[in-house]
Amino acid sequence: MMHGLVRKICICAVLGVVHISFYMPSAFAESRMLTKDTKLHPQGWAVGDVVEFRKDTLITVNELGEVVSGTLENDTFLRPTGWDRIIGDYYQKTTYDGMGFFPHRYYHPYVERVYHTDIPGYGHLMYKSGTTVIFDAQGHVVTGTIKDGATVQLIKGKYGFITFKGGTVLTFYDSGAVRSGILEEDTYLRPLGWRSLPAELQSAGFLKFSAKKSVTFNENGEVVSGTLKDPAELRSEDGGIKAVKAGSVIHFNEAGEISIEAGETK
């Protein structure tokens, strides 16, 4: 039993190194354990700003000592790979103003005014403290946990926006196209192979996918896998039509045929 556990740990470690190596400027990769909260430079940044990473966690650095991945100490505004597709990226800053008046020798009442100002984020998202972020070679976050909801243009140059749930992992392709996330609300989306969907659906190729569930896209913004909100009859891999229950996690292939993830129906 112990041997099996060790084997699983080794496999996970190898897969983690392989995943991070895609974002290295060279084959060099080094992992370090931080002994204290440490401010370091992420890879790909042109100005020497720093991000604070949490003590007692691992960071991965490239040959220049720049951080490729690490665990954030604080909630931090960072630019994702798809920064130019972020919609309404404003954050609120609270300012205080007031004046005192002194009718009494010892007691000084104070009138305070509170103002809330919306400040543009310039393509940044707030990433959650205590979670891991991975930077691409240009210094953008390709994988990270967003603190608040994020609205993203699904296909560049085409109308259509999708909102992802705060507190969940949002990932991007190197091209800036969104790769995966948790939907904030039920959303009509086109799956991979949507042109081959049964004509009886009369849906122009759209299916409704469930809120609070994971969805994965290809780089063209087509759903590769997701959870169906409503029951539907879809083409199966054996060439027939299959009745799919609401709540089923389904995967699509290029032909628009589906396979259902075992144990994920209700």
Side-chain angles (χ1 to χ4, degrees), residues 87-218:
I87 305 299
D89 58 323
Y90 286 80
Y91 66 97
Q92 196 172 79
K93 183 175 182 179
T94 302
T95 57
Y96 301 90
D97 188 18
M99 63 179 182
F101 57 95
F102 314 110
H104 193 278
R105 182 176 178 180
Y106 302 107
Y107 175 62
H108 296 169
Y110 193 80
V111 177
E112 183 178 70
R113 294 172 179 165
V114 179
Y115 299 91
H116 300 290
T117 306
D118 289 329
I119 300 175
Y122 301 106
H124 290 64
L125 293 175
M126 179 73 83
Y127 286 88
K128 192 173 181 180
S129 65
T131 64
T132 299
V133 291
I134 299 176
F135 298 93
D136 68 11
Q138 286 70 47
H140 303 127
V141 177
V142 71
T143 300
T145 300
I146 53 176
K147 183 174 182 180
D148 306 308
T151 301
V152 181
Q153 184 178 27
L154 184 58
I155 303 174
K156 195 169 185 178
K158 290 189 177 181
Y159 182 85
F161 311 96
I162 185 169
T163 301
F164 295 98
K165 188 175 183 299
T168 63
V169 176
L170 181 62
T171 69
F172 292 87
Y173 288 98
D174 288 342
S175 64
V178 65
R179 183 170 191 161
S180 65
I182 306 291
L183 296 176
E184 174 62 38
E185 55 195 11
D186 296 336
T187 308
Y188 283 98
L189 299 164
R190 279 176 167 156
L192 181 63
W194 60 269
R195 290 179 177 81
S196 300
L197 289 178
E200 305 83 60
L201 291 177
Q202 297 181 341
S203 63
F206 290 96
L207 294 173
K208 187 188 283 189
F209 291 88
S210 293
K212 312 303 186 287
K213 300 292 184 180
S214 178
V215 62
T216 302
F217 300 92
N218 64 13

Side-chain angles (χ1 to χ4, degrees), residues 228-241:
L228 274 188
K229 175 66 177 180
D230 301 319
E233 293 188 348
L234 303 171
R235 300 187 190 280
S236 62
E237 292 179 319
D238 61 11
I241 300 295

